[in-house]
Amino acid sequence: MVDFYYLPGSSPCRSVIMAAKAVGVELNKKLLNLQAGEHLTPEFLKINPQHTIPTLVDNGFALWESRAILVYLVEKYGKTDSLYPKCPKKRALINQRLYFDMGTLYQSFANYYYPQLFAKAPADPEAFKKIEAAFEFLNTFLEGQTYVAGDSLTVADIAILATVSSFEVAKFDISKYANVNKWYENAKKVTPGWDENWAGCLEFKKYFD
């Protein structure tokens, strides 16, 4: 049994849902109400002392950090290695894109939007520039490419798709970045679990309305 502690609106949680769908793993989903402090209960702290979501528990093995979970799911349950190939160079490129998502792209989203949504802070133009820079980088990575790392769908596409779809509901204009826009339209069609990802995006969109 694979237990999954999550919130449907969270990009990192949505990436895990798509990866699980891609490898055919059924998740036993457990909603955590962060506002009610459910992530701070003694029971959950025993599972994940860092008290973050998503958190996966696979027959007693607990793991958090979404991008680590994506790799674990493919390595343990993937019928093939296509989503995270064993070739060191292919894998290194995927890892680079995953770290880019975590440290640059998703980070720029969090730094700009979360203070506005959760602390009622004014928009920071400098933080917005970081978003634009991140999209410029992604646009460059995708020059002449259908996928973000290599020539087929990988966990890097899944992670970045979850992030970019959050930018869409935040009304960031993705269309200004032609390569990203083209990749995004294709990724929506070819990524397993996209429908559930989008349903989660619409949950998240309520914060922006």
Side-chain angles (χ1 to χ4, degrees), residues 46-181:
K46 201 175 280 186
I47 295 167
N48 175 356
Q50 210 175 333
H51 53 80
T52 53
I53 55 166
T55 293
L56 187 90
V57 183
D58 185 1
N59 288 309
F61 172 65
L63 186 65
W64 52 98
E65 290 297 345
S66 62
R67 295 155 196 86
I69 295 171
L70 301 183
V71 169
Y72 171 76
L73 286 173
V74 175
E75 291 195 316
K76 180 158 186 198
Y77 294 105
K79 312 280 185 294
T80 70
D81 70 349
S82 69
L83 289 169
Y84 193 61
K86 291 189 171 63
C87 164
K89 286 183 180 174
K90 287 182 179 177
R91 185 167 280 196
L93 188 62
I94 292 166
N95 289 340
Q96 186 275 324
R97 302 296 197 249
L98 289 173
Y99 296 140
F100 165 77
D101 179 45
M102 183 182 188
T104 303
L105 187 66
Y106 179 70
Q107 193 62 51
S108 74
F109 183 92
N111 289 349
Y112 181 70
Y113 290 108
Y114 288 166
Q116 296 177 63
L117 294 178
F118 304 121
K120 303 294 179 238
D124 178 354
E126 289 305 310
F128 189 77
K129 284 179 191 167
K130 294 273 176 63
I131 293 175
E132 293 177 314
F135 269 83
E136 288 289 355
F137 288 134
L138 183 57
N139 203 59
T140 301
F141 299 160
L142 284 162
E143 185 63 46
Q145 304 294 318
T146 306
Y147 299 98
V148 296
D151 52 12
S152 62
L153 185 80
T154 68
V155 291
D157 293 282
I158 293 173
I160 290 175
L161 179 60
T163 299
V164 170
S165 55
S166 292
F167 277 104
E168 183 181 353
V169 296
K171 300 186 174 69
F172 179 75
D173 186 6
I174 298 162
S175 68
K176 288 195 297 188
Y177 306 89
N179 297 334
V180 177
N181 201 41

Side-chain angles (χ1 to χ4, degrees), residues 1-8 10-31 53-59 61 63 66 68-74 76-77 158 192-193 196-197:
M1 176 62 73
V2 180
D3 290 335
F4 182 56
Y5 296 86
Y6 82 118
L7 272 177
S10 150
S11 311
C13 293
R14 288 187 271 107
S15 71
V16 174
I17 288 168
M18 289 190 280
K21 188 91 168 172
V23 297
V25 169
E26 196 168 329
L27 298 173
N28 178 34
K29 298 192 188 91
K30 295 172 176 276
L31 270 173
I53 55 166
T55 293
L56 187 90
V57 183
D58 185 1
N59 288 309
F61 172 65
L63 186 65
S66 62
I69 295 171
L70 301 183
V71 169
Y72 171 76
L73 286 173
V74 175
K76 180 158 186 198
Y77 294 105
I158 293 173
E196 192 170 349
N197 175 73

